[in-house]
Amino acid sequence: MGNKQMHKVLVVDDEEPILELLKYNLEKGGYDVKTASDGSKAVDIAKKFVPDLVLLDIMMPKMDGVETCRLLRDIPELQKTFVVFLTARSEEYSEVAAFDVGADDYITKPIKPRALMSRISALFRRDSKKSSPSSLITIGELTIDRTSYTIKVSEKEINLPKKEFELLYFLAQNPNKVFSREDLLQNIWGSDVYVLARTVDVHIRKVREKIGDDFITTVKGVGYKFSLN
């Protein structure tokens, strides 16, 4: 438990029994845990606590999980933070909404603690594998720094949520190579997360809105590539 690498987890749910169940299992698994019973409290705690992972209920009074996630993603210190949605609903629209605001994973209730713990471990494991020596990419006026999760275009710093950043970084590491949506889902979200192909299009659109249209090209009927002009 005195492990320097102890990850910090913020659990957000309006149901006290779920908060207690998750807090108990996470602490038993060696995580540093804080809880919040609504979205606005979660945002306040997250600013000070700076969690590595937020487990976020999608259906809450006052502020729902989607809006809470949007606010969390606007906090620069939380660019590297994982957000995993918890929900009793399996409708496609709520899943799309979750990934649109930058969710990393999506777990339906009732929550099985053992399965949840293994999903969390897989997220942190995948993240540690992505850290590589070639953490700085400079192409023309674009600089991508994997260590600090920062992007500069013509010396102007731009903040991207975690998944948008990883998508851009992955494409930039493989310039002029075309990737299908399925390739990108596999490499960015992983095989253990079910994500709709449309999620890739949404993330590409958001990246283009922030860095301009010059870098990522759509190859009709195939997918996307990072273009070296």
Side-chain angles (χ1 to χ4, degrees), residues 142 151 153 158 160 168 207-213 215-216:
L142 176 70
I151 289 164
V153 179
I158 295 165
L160 292 182
L168 176 62
V207 171
R208 283 174 171 160
E209 283 169 4
K210 290 163 189 165
I211 69 166
D213 296 330
F215 302 103
I216 299 174

Side-chain angles (χ1 to χ4, degrees), residues 1-6 24-32:
M1 290 278 183
N3 184 357
K4 285 187 300 192
Q5 296 299 314
M6 184 186 278
Y24 171 77
N25 281 278
L26 287 160
E27 286 182 342
K28 203 167 88 171
Y31 295 98
D32 181 7

Side-chain angles (χ1 to χ4, degrees), residues 189-212:
W189 280 267
S191 55
D192 52 347
V193 179
Y194 174 71
V195 188
L196 298 168
R198 176 180 172 269
T199 302
V200 174
D201 302 333
V202 170
H203 281 68
I204 293 280
R205 190 189 76 233
K206 289 182 174 178
V207 171
R208 283 174 171 160
E209 283 169 4
K210 290 163 189 165
I211 69 166

